[in-house]
Every structure is written in C-alpha cells, then in structure tokens.
Amino acid sequence: MALLSVRNLTTSFHTRNGVTTAVDDVSFELKKGEVLAIVGESGSGKSMCCYSVLGLVPSPPGKIESGTALFDGRDLLAMSAAELQSIRGTDIAMIFQDPMTCLNPFLTIGEQLIEPLVYNRQKTRHQAKYRAIELMRETGIDRPEQRFNSYPHEFSGGMRQRVMIAMALITEPKLLIADEPTTALDVTVQAQILSLILELQKTRDLAVIFVSHDLAVVRGLAHKVLVMKGGRVVERNATSNIFRSPQHAYTQQLLAAVPRGEKTSEDLSQSRTVLAVSKLNVSFLDRNSGKRLTAVDDVSFELQKNEILGLVGESGSGKSTIGRSILKLVPADSGQVHFAGRELLRLREREMRLLRPQLQMIFQDPYASLNPRRTVFDTLAEPLLYHGLAKRSNIEHQVLALMDDVGLARTAIRKYPHEFSGGQRQRIAIGRAISTRPELIIADEPVSALDVTIQKQILELIIQLVEKHSLSMLFISHDLAVVRSLCDRVMVLQRGRILEVNRTENLWSNPQHRYTQSLLESVPQIES
Amino acid sequence: MTVGNVIMDAEPGASLWADAWRRLKKNKLAVFGLLVLSVLIVIALLAPWIAPYGYEQQNLELGATPPSFAHWFGTDLFGRDMLTRVLYGGRVSLAVGLIATFVALVIGVTWGTIAGYLGGRTDAVMMRIVDALYALPFIIFIILLMVVFGRSVLLLFVAIGAVEWLTMARIVRAQVLSIRNQEFVEAARAMGLSTPHILAKHVVPNSLGPIIVYATLTVPQVMLLEAFLSFLGLGIQPPQSSWGLLISHGANVMEDSPWLLIFPGLALSLTLFALNFLGDGLRDALDPRVSKD
C-alpha cells in the first residue's frame, strides 16, 4: 500500500494575463522507504507538485483544480487548513533550497529545533533539547551541545542545511520532501549532504521526494524518477532505466545536455600572451571585526591568445574577485596586470576607460546584468556609439549583425529584457560583451543560472564566438563538468590561492593537489 | 522589411521616453489627469481675460453671498467675486506648486544621485549637509532669504523649492545606493562608460518610480506651505490670493459661508487628483515591466 498516492493533480494560476496550468494531470505513488526524484527544468512544475500536495500554493492566484492526494489513506487536498497544518511538519516535513532564508536569524538554532516538539508534541524543554542534540549529532554537526546555542549566521551554508535536515526530522516524519536541497551548496558540501540524506533515509526507512534540476545528483539517490516538462509528466521509470534507455525525446535531450567529455587542448605554447597577472593581492575590509580579509592571495597566471582558461573554486574562494580586479571593478592591493602593453593597475580610470572595449565581461545573472529599462537595441548600440565604433547612420545594421551573431531573432530588437527567457537574456549580455570586438573576455559563471538544455546552447555559442572572433577567455566557474568540456587549461583556486594549474586532460587524469582530488571526486556523475 | 520598420519607429537612444509616452497615451486615467491639469493651467494663464470681475473689485454692500447667476461661486466678505478669486488664486498656487516642485526635483535628484553613487566620504559629507539643513527651522531660513534678497514671488518659489529638496535627496540617494550595486551598472562600468553617462542612462532612469511618486506628493505640500507663509505675511500679499489662502480664510467662516471653503477646496482637490493620476501613469509608463504594450 502506497504511503502517498497522488492522482490527476492539476494546479493552475489565475492571473490578469490569463490562466496558466503549472501542474497538469500529474499522478504518482510513493511507498514507505522509497525515494522518488522529480526532475525538470525551471517552470516545469516540479516544485509546484509538492507545494500543491502540502497546501502551500499561494492562493489566489494559485488554485488546485482537481485531483486527490491520499496520504496514509486520507486525502490531503480535501483537508481543512488546520488539519493540513498538523500533518505538515509532523508526518510530512520539507527542506528547501536556501537554508539561510528558511532559518530565523534572531533565534538560536536550538530554539528553532525544539519549537515543534514543545508546541506540537507537548514535550518539556529538557526532553526536546536532549532529542535535538541527539539529532544534531546524527546529522553531522560537531559539538552539538555548544552549537545548540549558536545563531544561524554562525553556521556555514552546508551546516545550515544540516540544521534544516535535523529540523525536518525532529518530529519523525514518514515523508520528507526535499526541494533542490543542494543547489545552493558547493560541490564538496553537496556530496556530504547527499550522502547524509541517503543514510538517514535508509536508517529510518523514510519516503523521500527529491526535487531537482540536476540529473547527476538524482542518479545516486532515487529509486524512481519522474521527468516533468511544462507541468506534465513526460516520463516515469526506475532510475537505472531512465539513465540507460530514456524513452521520451525530452529525457534524451536532458541527458544529452549534461556537459561531458573533455576538450582536447590545443597547443598554444607558440601563441602570444594576452594577459599576464602577477602577484595579485586583493583584500576587503570586514566591517564587523575591522580587519582586512584576504580574498585573493598572491595570484599569478598568464593567458594565451585563443585560449580558454578555466578558473574553478568553491564559493568564497575569490574567483570572481580575481576577474573583477583585473577589470578594475574592485581595487587591488598590489600586483600587476599586463594587458595590451599596459599595466592596468597603475592606469588612471580615464586611461583605463579607453582600454575597456578590448577587455570585456559576461556576468552570471542575466536578470541582473541587463538594464531593465533599455531595449535590446539600446543595450547593444550603447557601447558602439559611445566608443565611436559605429555611426548613427549604420548602427541598426551593426546591431542586427550582432544579434545574428548571438542567435537572437532580429524582430526582438525593440524588446525589453523582461520579455526574454534567461537563455535569451544571456545571449543579449554576450552580444554586448563582444560588441566592441574585445581581445579578452572574462566570463563569470555565465551559464550557472541557466537550465541545463539552455546551458548547452550558450556553451556552444561561446565556443563558436571564441573561434569566429579569435577571442581569449578567462572562464570562471564552480561547475567542473562545464570547465572540463570547454577550457584548454584549468586553474584550481582555494581561499584566494591558486593550488594547481594544468592542461585540462592532465588535471583530470592526474590531479596533483589533494583539494583538487576531493573536488573531482565530489562531482556527481551521470555515467558510471 | 518589417525589421527595418521596427527600427525606424523610434529615435535610437530616446526609446525609454518615446515608449513611455506611447504607453502613457494608452492609460485613460493618466491622459484624463494630464488633460485636467492642462485645462487648469490654461484657465489660470487666461484668468485676466476670462475672469468676470477684477480680483480686487470689492462690493462691501453686497458682502458674503451664496452662489448666484451673477456670482457663480458666490462672493466673499468684501463682496469680491469668488470665481474670479479662484481663477487668480490658481495662477499663484499652480505656479508655486509646479515651479517649486521642479526646483526641488532638480536639486534633490542631482544631489541624491551624486551622493549615493560616489558613496564613501563624499556621501557622508553631502548627507550631513542635508541633515544640518533639516535641523534648521525652515521659517527662519525663508525669513533670512527674504531679508537678504528682498521679497518677491519668484524668491518664494525658490525658497520653498530649496527646502523641499532635502527629502527628495534622501529618497533618491537610497534608491541609487541599491541600484549602483546591481550588475548592470557594473556592466556599464566594465564597458568603459563615463560616470555621468552611467548616471544619466542607467542609474537615474531606474530610480524614477519613487521620484515621480514623491514629486506628485510634493506639489500639494508646497501649495499649503505657500498658504502658510502668505498667512504669516511672508508670501503673496492681499489683495492677491492663492488657493491655499482662500482655503484658510474660508475655513474660518465655514459655518456661515461654506462656499468660501468649498470652491477653492474643489479646485485644489481637482488639481491633486489630476496630478496623482498623471503621476501613477507616468511611473507605470516609465517601467517597461509593468505591462506589455
């Protein structure tokens, strides 16, 4: 008998612009001790499925149109809000993507952990504390007795997610719903959290619904997989079958889009050096302690013409700061940056401004890096007109040529950024970066905010443009698979220091540093 | 061919404003507001020609009379025609309201934008100056101005504007502080654009929403401030008048002659309604995300 049985669930949103169906006739079953993964890209309705079952869909505008969700024989969708609330957080628990926003910054971790026990289960504070500390130990939080009285900001991202898991499990639920629980985490931390979830699931015989966009993460975890697209389930199967013989075209497309393979690096020893960074140091003033924190520590490297140089590291390793300080968007403490025969760090802003067209940047988030009040035309024409690279009389043609280059439809020229999808926006941002015909582009996580199929297209575009315009690129990323498929050489960064630089094939076949090894081992694999 | 037409439609570079105008024209309430405001301004400008009587023309025998055919808005205690007084009062009130707000807007936006964008020490110094001016009792400030420059209506506009810009500067600075850290501003810097260009094209257009809303709120504030100053003898002098003065006089005799309060009050309310509709419409029109077409 199934623990949770969802039948013909349909949820839609009624807005001024009409009705959109977020979840369209979805059915699935989940037994005790089973792990079900719901996989899909953004907007596929995978999270909305879970929210509908738990009565967490914002209403209005959301509305559950039809369906049943039998949990232990009772229909969740027919329950009153009060009944549902008593089941949520006791029999069904949920963990979310961003552990920071889900913890109250004003209460200690301990207080938040024992809350459900004290208020819902009528335990004494003493009993509850004992139980909480036991669970904290079980979820891998060291020194739980002391940590019990710490505040959320004193925990790292991974530790916070452990707290969230402890919080979810404290009422001994039968079903755990995890909504992208590792997406905001670094890859080594992700590996730890995934193995923790798996271990807890086994020891408690928990049923788990694991919502993710990442097929590789799901592979080592789930018993069966539901692939969703546009609110519908397009394929359901046992995990091994999904990966071995995907039936639906969309599943095949998803699997094909996962970056794989290794770039065979070209021999660039003969080509000229475009960028030379030596002994770069950057630090920030920490307002709380008044001390200077080192973000970039004595970094030196060179970048050759036509080379794509990868810069990998986890969050806080200083990889973005390196990119920004080369462009003088962040002031450096010391060091030298040689580009186009000049030493950039010593240039005045006025002189630097003249060089900037040759040295461009692509940002991570295409929703933030485009001015929402400027059309595609404005955005792409601005650098050309400002630097006198085009005349007003033929600016249209140059902008249109640029749009062709990055694969944007010409008819979109008068549209504003919000009218585009994430991938198209990133195309606009890339178009802006190449508009001035730069020699070097610094790409800061250009594909990490994008869905995997879109990511593949953007990566292909980048490769194509690098060849067409013989660009050199510093490619900053946390995603090792992407870097491996794209870059000629890779630098590994940890706490502001470069640990290792090597040609891509050498780095993967023979990583020298221990940190690099653990980084490479942590990456979930889609192929065995 | 269609592609060519799409581009030719609008002047490159001015597209935000061109688009805003196109969107504003589709917003019925905003167009109505604009229309009412224009009519009011035209009437005020034409007051000497269309007013049925002279604004200082007294008829003491008549005294305060309710609205009649001869005097549509009635007459005041001195037997002066209220319609004429409201028409003339509108000249002063609209001029003060719009000009002083414009002065406040120009100074406030410039000051706030520079302080917010440059940040650091410049910001600290500029905002402490604003704080110091806040602390100064503004009546004293205005009296000082009057003493130094002599009394004139033009000075009244400037003086009020010079007080009202303080809040505007704070609002703009707060906006700019959040906008300057957004990636598109960083992208503009990476593109090698100069700071004035970035401010004009990227920062200010994105802080227009609150600026416009606050500006529409400033207009009535300024009109009432003018009445207050005039009441103290620092503003315009009798027999000239303004809506604010007419209202404050009317309020004193509300029970005996309510028409003396109602008509100037209506004129002021009508202006404020029109301004609010126009302001809301402008804010929406300047934000491409609010609605498609």
Side-chain angles (χ1 to χ4, degrees):
Chain A
M1 150 108 186
L3 178 69
L4 176 70
S5 157
V6 175
R7 288 261 158 273
N8 309 104
L9 176 69
T10 300
T11 306
S12 53
F13 284 82
H14 297 256
T15 63
R16 268 196 302 186
N17 302 328
V19 181
T20 40
T21 308
V23 180
D24 193 358
D25 199 23
V26 168
S27 307
F28 59 86
E29 276 190 0
L30 186 62
K31 292 194 197 73
K32 196 163 184 290
E34 199 172 34
V35 181
L36 168 75
I38 305 182
V39 176
E41 297 188 295
S42 52
S44 62
K46 57 189 191 301
S47 295
M48 224 22 94
C49 258
C50 304
Y51 290 164
S52 301
V53 169
L54 288 182
L56 292 175
V57 175
S59 171
K63 188 170 172 239
I64 293 169
E65 305 284 355
S66 64
T68 54
L70 295 179
F71 177 74
D72 260 356
R74 300 166 69 198
D75 187 2
L76 295 171
L77 300 182
M79 279 183 191
S80 70
E83 283 176 298
L84 204 53
Q85 182 154 20
S86 72
I87 285 191
R88 253 187 343 236
T90 53
D91 287 340
I92 305 178
M94 190 150 182
I95 45 182
F96 297 90
Q97 176 173 348
D98 186 355
M100 193 60 211
T101 52
C102 295
L103 291 169
N104 184 338
F106 289 96
L107 292 178
T108 61
I109 293 295
E111 194 61 42
Q112 298 183 57
L113 272 172
I114 64 172
E115 210 174 7
L117 288 185
V118 175
Y119 295 99
N120 293 342
R121 291 285 173 88
Q122 266 79 48
K123 292 253 174 32
T124 65
R125 286 187 68 86
H126 188 75
Q127 290 171 317
K129 183 176 175 181
Y130 178 78
R131 181 81 195 99
I133 288 177
E134 209 177 58
L135 248 177
M136 284 168 81
R137 190 171 289 123
E138 203 180 339
T139 50
I141 297 168
D142 58 336
R143 294 181 292 113
E145 290 85 2
Q146 287 108 17
R147 295 299 223 158
F148 187 81
N149 292 319
S150 304
Y151 286 90
H153 71 267
E154 299 172 65
F155 283 63
S156 67
M159 278 296 154
R160 277 187 218 124
Q161 199 57 288
R162 285 175 196 269
V163 172
M164 288 298 299
I165 293 171
M167 217 185 242
L169 294 182
I170 199 152
T171 53
E172 296 297 336
K174 297 172 186 157
L175 170 63
L176 177 69
I177 298 179
D179 187 6
E180 304 258 10
T182 59
T183 306
L185 304 175
D186 282 325
V187 59
T188 49
V189 184
Q190 165 172 293
Q192 295 161 13
I193 296 289
L194 288 176
S195 66
L196 173 67
I197 292 178
L198 201 58
E199 186 193 312
L200 292 170
Q201 185 269 331
K202 287 212 173 101
T203 52
R204 283 152 199 266
D205 209 18
L206 265 178
V208 176
I209 299 180
F210 192 94
V211 178
S212 181
H213 69 283
D214 192 336
L215 281 162
V217 163
V218 163
R219 185 170 182 270
L221 199 70
H223 298 119
K224 51 187 190 180
V225 179
L226 221 60
V227 181
M228 286 188 71
K229 185 187 187 222
R232 292 182 151 272
V233 176
V234 296
E235 183 165 356
R236 71 182 78 223
N237 214 331
T239 308
S240 54
N241 292 342
I242 287 269
F243 286 89
R244 204 183 316 128
S245 53
Q247 297 302 311
H248 195 274
Y250 179 68
T251 316
Q252 293 164 359
Q253 199 189 336
L254 268 185
L255 283 165
V258 174
R260 68 188 80 206
E262 191 169 81
K263 183 165 179 182
T264 37
S265 29
E266 293 159 41
D267 184 24
L268 295 160
S269 54
Q270 298 305 311
S271 86
R272 105 192 132 79
T273 302
V274 171
L275 177 79
V277 175
S278 63
K279 298 198 182 311
L280 183 70
N281 282 289
V282 185
S283 62
F284 293 108
L285 188 68
D286 180 29
R287 284 184 192 280
N288 295 323
S289 65
K291 286 183 196 143
R292 288 202 81 85
L293 303 177
T294 305
V296 178
D297 192 358
D298 227 19
V299 163
S300 307
F301 64 92
E302 288 189 354
L303 182 62
Q304 311 298 324
K305 180 81 186 157
N306 292 345
E307 183 183 31
I308 305 182
L309 175 61
L311 177 56
V312 296
E314 298 188 296
S315 55
S317 61
K319 54 191 192 298
S320 285
T321 310
I322 291 180
R324 281 175 160 76
S325 56
I326 291 170
L327 287 169
K328 294 188 46 149
L329 295 172
V330 165
D333 296 351
S334 63
Q336 293 180 324
V337 176
H338 288 282
F339 175 77
R342 310 291 292 271
E343 204 279 281
L344 300 187
L345 298 185
R346 277 171 44 206
L347 289 184
R348 292 157 173 277
E349 184 52 40
R350 187 176 308 227
E351 298 166 297
M352 183 68 194
R353 208 174 284 154
L354 299 175
L355 271 180
R356 287 193 185 279
Q358 299 172 43
L359 185 65
Q360 275 305 312
M361 179 147 181
I362 302 170
F363 294 85
Q364 172 176 0
D365 182 2
Y367 287 86
S369 69
L370 295 171
N371 185 338
R373 291 175 198 240
R374 310 210 86 194
T375 60
V376 176
F377 175 82
D378 295 333
T379 299
L380 294 182
E382 182 175 43
L384 293 171
L385 292 172
Y386 187 88
H387 292 293
L389 298 170
K391 292 202 189 79
R392 277 203 179 269
S393 54
N394 70 348
I395 183 73
E396 291 89 354
H397 297 280
Q398 286 201 235
V399 169
L400 288 175
L402 214 48
M403 290 176 74
D404 292 343
D405 246 6
V406 294
L408 283 167
R410 286 183 162 215
T411 43
I413 191 164
R414 297 278 302 145
K415 285 191 178 172
Y416 287 92
H418 73 274
E419 299 173 65
F420 293 95
S421 66
Q424 287 173 317
R425 282 161 158 249
Q426 198 59 297
R427 286 176 192 269
I428 304 173
I430 291 172
R432 174 177 59 188
I434 63 164
S435 65
T436 55
R437 304 246 166 258
E439 191 166 15
L440 172 66
I441 290 183
I442 295 176
D444 188 0
E445 304 261 15
V447 294
S448 43
L450 305 174
D451 279 325
V452 59
T453 50
I454 309 296
Q455 170 176 310
K456 188 180 185 211
Q457 295 165 9
I458 297 293
L459 287 173
E460 279 165 1
L461 175 69
I462 288 177
I463 293 172
Q464 185 195 329
L465 291 173
V466 163
E467 271 175 22
K468 183 174 174 190
H469 300 295
S470 55
L471 296 167
S472 311
M473 184 176 277
L474 178 63
F475 190 91
I476 300 169
S477 182
H478 72 282
D479 191 330
L480 289 148
V482 166
V483 167
R484 188 181 188 189
S485 68
L486 186 75
C487 300
D488 299 299
R489 280 192 307 148
V490 178
M491 301 189 282
V492 181
L493 197 70
Q494 188 195 25
R495 292 193 207 103
R497 282 173 185 269
I498 290 182
L499 299 181
E500 190 168 352
V501 190
N502 214 332
R503 291 163 65 115
T504 308
E505 64 260 33
N506 297 345
L507 192 84
W508 260 266
S509 60
N510 187 18
Q512 296 299 312
H513 203 280
R514 213 157 44 95
Y515 175 73
T516 315
Q517 291 161 6
S518 77
L519 212 55
L520 296 181
E521 281 161 13
S522 306
V523 179
Q525 296 295 323
I526 201 132
E527 283 147 358
S528 41
Chain B
M1 275 328 282
T2 49
V3 178
N5 292 336
V6 173
I7 308 158
M8 297 314 166
D9 270 354
E11 185 89 352
S15 56
L16 177 68
W17 297 95
D19 276 0
W21 176 237
R22 194 171 48 79
R23 276 192 293 264
L24 189 72
K25 281 192 290 190
K26 289 189 180 164
N27 183 338
K28 290 198 182 78
L29 272 181
V31 171
F32 174 73
L34 185 65
L35 216 66
V36 169
L37 205 61
S38 316
V39 168
L40 284 169
I41 291 171
V42 168
I43 290 177
L45 286 174
L46 295 178
W49 294 277
I50 58 174
Y53 300 88
Y55 70 91
E56 72 275 68
Q57 194 181 323
Q58 299 188 356
N59 188 345
L60 292 173
E61 287 167 27
L62 192 62
T65 57
S68 63
F69 259 115
H71 302 282
W72 290 2
F73 286 10
T75 55
D76 70 3
L77 304 176
F78 301 101
R80 292 180 292 198
D81 179 53
M82 270 311 275
L83 175 59
T84 309
R85 308 244 335 133
V86 169
L87 288 178
Y88 273 92
R91 285 164 79 90
V92 175
S93 285
L94 286 173
V96 170
L98 299 178
I99 295 176
T101 301
F102 183 73
V103 171
L105 203 65
V106 171
I107 306 179
V109 170
T110 315
W111 194 275
T113 306
I114 293 173
Y117 189 74
L118 295 182
R121 202 162 295 169
T122 320
D123 177 38
V125 171
M126 289 179 84
M127 292 325 282
R128 288 307 79 73
I129 292 174
V130 169
D131 291 346
L133 288 176
Y134 254 121
L136 207 69
F138 89 99
I139 293 293
I140 296 181
F141 176 66
I142 286 171
I143 293 174
L144 266 176
L145 282 178
M146 300 270 172
V147 170
V148 176
F149 296 106
R151 206 160 66 189
S152 77
V153 176
L154 193 70
L155 187 67
L156 185 74
F157 299 160
V158 177
I160 294 176
V163 173
E164 288 291 327
W165 70 270
L166 297 170
T167 314
M168 182 69 86
R170 283 192 171 173
I171 290 172
V172 174
R173 171 181 171 267
Q175 279 291 308
V176 171
L177 274 184
S178 71
I179 289 167
R180 73 158 182 187
N181 288 326
Q182 292 194 16
E183 269 186 355
F184 67 82
V185 173
E186 207 171 15
R189 282 173 62 206
M191 193 47 77
L193 308 179
S194 66
T195 305
H197 185 95
I198 293 173
L199 290 179
K201 296 282 181 184
H202 295 277
V203 176
V204 174
N206 280 291
S207 48
L208 280 175
I211 293 177
I212 289 170
V213 171
Y214 185 70
T216 51
L217 294 177
T218 307
V219 174
Q221 226 174 334
V222 164
M223 288 182 177
L224 297 178
L225 201 59
E226 173 272 324
F228 173 60
L229 289 175
S230 300
F231 186 73
L232 292 179
L234 294 169
I236 49 165
Q237 293 307 304
Q240 280 200 324
S241 199
S242 67
W243 289 344
L245 268 181
L246 289 174
I247 288 171
S248 73
H249 290 151
N252 293 333
V253 293
M254 195 168 63
E255 282 170 15
D256 303 322
S257 332
W259 61 92
L260 294 184
L261 175 63
I262 289 171
F263 290 108
L266 275 179
L268 185 67
S269 314
L270 191 63
T271 312
L272 301 191
F273 267 119
L275 264 173
N276 276 324
F277 289 146
L278 180 61
D280 277 359
L282 265 179
R283 185 196 54 200
D284 290 350
L286 281 166
D287 191 345
R289 284 162 298 187
V290 170
S291 66
K292 217 172 125 74
D293 65 42

